[in-house]
Amino acid sequence: MTSSSGASRRQVLAVAAAAATAPLLAGAPAEAKPKQPKTWDLTILGTSDTHGNVYNWDYYKDAEFDDSKQNDVGVAKLATLVNQIRAERKGRATLVLDAGDTIQGTPLATYYAKQEPITSTGETHPMARAMNILKYDAVTLGNHEFNYGLPLLATWIEQLGFPALAANALNAKTGKPAFLPYVIKEVKLGGHGAPKLRVGILGLTNPGVAIWDKGNVEGRLVFADMVATAAKWVPEMRRRGADLVVISAHGGDSGTSSYGPELPNENPTALIAEQVPGIDAILFGHAHNEVPEKFVTNLTTGERVLTSEPSKWGQRLTRMDFTLTREKGRWKVTAKSATTLNTNTVVEDPAVLAAVRGQHAKTVEYVNRVVAQSSVELSAAESRYKDTPILDFINHVQTEVVTEALAGGEYAGLPVLSIAAPFSRTAVFPQGDVRIRDVAGLYVYDNTLEAVVLTGAEVKAYLEYSAKYFVTLPAGAPVNPETISDPAVPDYNYDVFSGVDYDIDIAKPVGQRITRLVLAGTDTPVAADARFVVAVNNYRRSGGGNFPGIVKTQVYNAQQEIRQLLIDWAQAKGVIDPADFFVPNWKLVRDGVPVF
């Protein structure tokens, strides 16, 4: 017999054993998962280097914009994408930023800076009209914002319905920021009762302004290092309550500069991310590259900084997405990503088109005015590697203007040389009617004409530096015009001279390529101590491209825009005939044998 007390004990043990094994049995309830923290999200949209493009329009061709990759351009296209994303995210936080270079780059922008300047007419700049429709949260000043002088820039900023930032542009006298350094935007992450997030936005412009627009800013503004400026302001923004810090920087991420070491780095975005703690993301521009998403690890904190660059001209829109949680009353970013969206997938926003329609139409009418008749078609397609009449047209006009200006003065007895670069591979003066847009398409920058005195030795050194544009091709190696230049050297940093005759031997190493340099039309070598007046644009004379010997006191500087000088010359002559200006004076060779 078994006692009742023994049976009871066995029953208790059985129940305990069953309880212990219950989670392992089929059909048993699973353990409760730990509660996941609540998350919120933020989207930041970014544009950069729109360069005066509102409509999807090519003013030089008088046609809808198109290129080999079927890209579209313009703020009107960007606005459609932005509005779509805002609608998709209705009720959730979305910010829109721009990283600079907005008011220069198209005849539309030039017209309201030069032909009917907003400083004189009081009219709202087309880029202010367009961007106000889009409702940006902030814009950073790019280097091209300074092209037309500080009064026009100030007027444009006043017309914006949002802040313009440039923390490293300092008043030359006081050393204090000349523009707003940053803003802190408080945004709601959701609907009614949702928590608020404070987003700090720091704007950094490009130090190269000190060179490229020296005439506009010298003695008024100085430009501090972008890395050091970020290191100064990011902690300040955090102290003032920024939960998330984003930099809008007008500088690429290559870590290199197109100018010498005397100025702070031109393209330091990756260095900023590496060296300055406390940054969550950087929207950047200036380099005109498409960088959908790139993470850079901060060397101090080990945190990954999100960076993105949205190409140029409104071809792309950057989208940055952030996921956040609250931990002990503080915000924490748990995930972030970026991509770029192609504006060729959408139509133009009708509100933006309407806002700028009258100004666009006036610009189209202006650039289609006929200025002269060309006796033959003149093309710039081969100007990079052949001496062409269309580039000689630029050099002839520059030479003529400087020669006339210096007549009877101290420098009247010196030969006048001229420098020009093949800015465009597609520029053409058609046979027959030549319009303003044809001339503007040849000379696409708003440069002014200056002149300095160079010695023969300095001319040779300048030409040697320019000749680094070409790759080294041994005699007998095949030559392809499409690959004859070094991709690291842009076309605008290759200059050709008029007024001396020279050969460039591309079989020889860089620095040893000018194998023949003689006085024009002679066999007389240019003496090292010979003196020449050299006509040159303000960008190059100020140090743009870091060419040797050219940064010196001007002997001529009437602040005349080269594009307008070309237009004026053509209008005065009525006929553009290569017989009036084409003087073949340079060629590419290999071991003395012409390449073409």
Side-chain angles (χ1 to χ4, degrees):
M1 278 181 70
T2 305
S3 68
S4 60
S5 61
S8 175
R9 183 171 177 270
R10 285 194 298 271
Q11 288 172 344
V12 170
L13 290 173
V15 170
T21 59
L24 303 178
L25 298 177
E31 289 185 8
K33 292 182 179 179
K35 186 178 180 181
Q36 295 297 313
K38 182 174 175 56
T39 63
W40 289 267
D41 60 86
L42 167 73
T43 293
I44 296 178
L45 305 177
T47 65
S48 189
D49 296 274
T50 51
H51 280 287
N53 287 281
V54 177
Y55 277 57
N56 184 42
W57 193 257
D58 187 331
Y59 292 93
Y60 305 120
K61 295 180 179 178
D62 195 28
E64 187 172 292
F65 181 89
D66 193 24
D67 64 12
S68 61
K69 296 181 179 178
Q70 286 73 56
N71 287 305
D72 288 347
V73 299
V75 174
K77 289 268 184 171
L78 289 167
T80 299
L81 281 178
V82 168
N83 289 336
Q84 285 180 355
I85 294 168
R86 282 176 170 152
E88 161 205 321
R89 291 183 49 77
K90 187 174 183 180
R92 293 181 291 164
T94 304
L95 297 177
V96 186
L97 309 178
D98 184 89
D101 275 4
T102 62
I103 61 171
Q104 177 277 338
T106 62
L108 174 69
T110 301
Y111 190 88
Y112 288 94
K114 295 289 188 179
Q115 302 303 317
E116 294 186 16
I118 59 172
T119 45
S120 300
T121 65
E123 187 166 359
T124 301
H125 194 284
M127 290 303 288
R129 288 176 183 263
M131 296 176 80
N132 285 341
I133 294 288
L134 204 151
K135 296 181 180 177
Y136 280 82
D137 290 283
V139 60
T140 291
L141 301 183
N143 52 282
H144 282 287
E145 263 64 82
F146 297 86
N147 285 172
Y148 302 116
L150 298 181
L152 188 134
L153 174 57
T155 301
W156 177 70
I157 291 174
E158 288 172 2
Q159 294 174 347
L160 297 176
F162 47 87
L165 312 176
N168 59 320
L170 309 176
N171 184 299
K173 294 181 180 178
T174 66
K176 295 180 179 179
F179 303 93
L180 195 64
Y182 68 89
V183 292
I184 296 179
K185 298 277 294 187
E186 189 172 82
V187 296
K188 277 190 176 183
L189 299 179
H192 180 72
K196 294 178 180 178
L197 177 76
R198 291 168 61 83
V199 181
I201 304 160
L202 176 69
L204 300 172
T205 192
N206 203 283
V209 175
I211 288 177
W212 304 321
D213 274 302
K214 185 176 181 180
N216 291 329
V217 301
E218 189 174 30
R220 302 176 183 182
L221 299 176
V222 293
F223 295 84
D225 181 84
M226 295 170 77
V227 181
T229 302
K232 172 183 177 180
W233 289 106
V234 169
E236 174 70 12
M237 294 161 69
R238 290 288 186 184
R239 280 194 296 271
R240 289 182 175 270
D243 302 304
L244 188 83
V245 170
V246 178
I247 293 181
S248 176
H250 195 77
D253 66 348
S254 67
T256 62
S257 297
S258 64
Y259 44 72
E262 68 276 5
L263 280 184
N265 195 298
E266 178 183 354
N267 295 298
T269 291
L271 299 175
I272 296 170
E274 282 182 348
Q275 297 177 21
V276 181
I279 301 168
D280 293 288
I282 304 177
L283 170 73
F284 67 101
H286 184 62
H288 288 200
N289 294 325
E290 182 179 4
V291 182
E293 177 188 76
K294 181 179 177 181
F295 285 96
V296 179
T297 301
N298 185 268
L299 299 178
T300 300
T301 65
E303 295 289 333
R304 298 202 311 161
V305 180
L306 175 64
T307 72
S308 181
E309 182 181 17
S311 189
K312 64 183 185 297
W313 307 345
Q315 294 179 356
R316 301 291 185 273
L317 175 72
T318 280
R319 175 174 178 160
M320 296 179 174
D321 289 300
F322 303 84
T323 303
L324 305 103
T325 61
R326 295 276 286 174
E327 291 186 4
K328 298 179 180 178
R330 299 174 66 91
W331 286 105
K332 180 180 179 181
V333 177
T334 58
K336 52 188 172 182
S337 63
T339 189
T340 49
L341 307 174
N342 197 326
T343 57
N344 71 6
T345 61
V346 296
V347 299
E348 294 171 287
D349 178 71
V352 171
L353 295 182
V356 185
R357 182 168 288 118
Q359 294 172 313
H360 169 73
K362 185 175 284 189
T363 304
V364 169
E365 185 275 330
Y366 171 73
V367 299
N368 277 290
R369 294 177 190 171
V370 175
V371 294
Q373 302 290 310
S374 182
S375 60
V376 295
E377 180 179 286
L378 303 179
S379 170
E382 298 180 328
S383 294
R384 297 171 297 122
Y385 50 87
K386 286 185 183 179
D387 195 345
T388 58
I390 200 167
L391 217 59
D392 270 15
F393 169 65
I394 299 172
N395 275 330
H396 175 80
V397 173
Q398 293 182 165
T399 299
E400 192 174 90
V401 171
V402 170
T403 301
E404 290 176 0
L406 298 181
E410 177 184 355
Y411 304 100
L414 297 181
V416 178
L417 314 183
S418 180
I419 301 170
F423 292 148
S424 171
R425 300 187 183 192
T426 58
V428 175
F429 289 178
Q431 184 177 14
D433 289 349
V434 175
R435 304 174 190 276
I436 287 175
R437 61 180 166 87
D438 301 317
V439 181
L442 172 67
Y443 208 98
V444 297
Y445 296 108
D446 300 317
N447 295 332
T448 57
L449 182 62
E450 301 183 3
V452 298
V453 173
L454 297 187
T455 66
E458 288 173 324
V459 170
K460 186 174 188 296
Y462 192 105
L463 285 169
E464 288 285 10
Y465 183 86
S466 184
K468 71 185 178 67
Y469 174 78
F470 298 101
V471 298
T472 303
L473 288 173
V479 176
N480 181 351
E482 296 305 311
T483 58
I484 200 169
S485 60
D486 183 341
V489 183
D491 294 353
Y492 61 77
N493 274 345
Y494 169 60
D495 285 347
V496 301
F497 268 78
S498 67
V500 289
D501 297 349
Y502 60 98
D503 292 348
I504 304 172
D505 193 327
I506 60 173
K508 295 188 180 299
V510 171
Q512 303 173 35
R513 291 179 163 178
I514 306 303
T515 54
R516 175 175 171 268
L517 178 59
V518 299
L519 297 175
T522 75
D523 291 323
T524 305
V526 171
D529 61 352
R531 297 174 77 229
F532 302 91
V533 171
V534 179
V536 61
N537 69 56
N538 66 300
Y539 171 82
R540 190 70 82 228
R541 206 281 314 163
S542 297
N546 200 29
F547 280 67
I550 199 72
V551 181
K552 53 179 62 179
T553 302
Q554 310 99 308
V555 298
Y556 166 83
N557 182 9
Q559 289 292 297
Q560 291 179 293
E561 194 175 278
I562 294 170
R563 183 196 296 119
Q564 191 60 47
L565 290 172
L566 301 178
I567 292 169
D568 292 345
W569 188 95
Q571 285 179 317
K573 291 286 185 180
V575 175
I576 299 174
D577 186 346
D580 293 334
F581 51 80
F582 182 41
V583 181
N585 68 297
W586 67 272
K587 61 182 180 295
L588 299 185
V589 301
R590 289 185 294 186
D591 296 340
V593 179
V595 175
F596 298 104

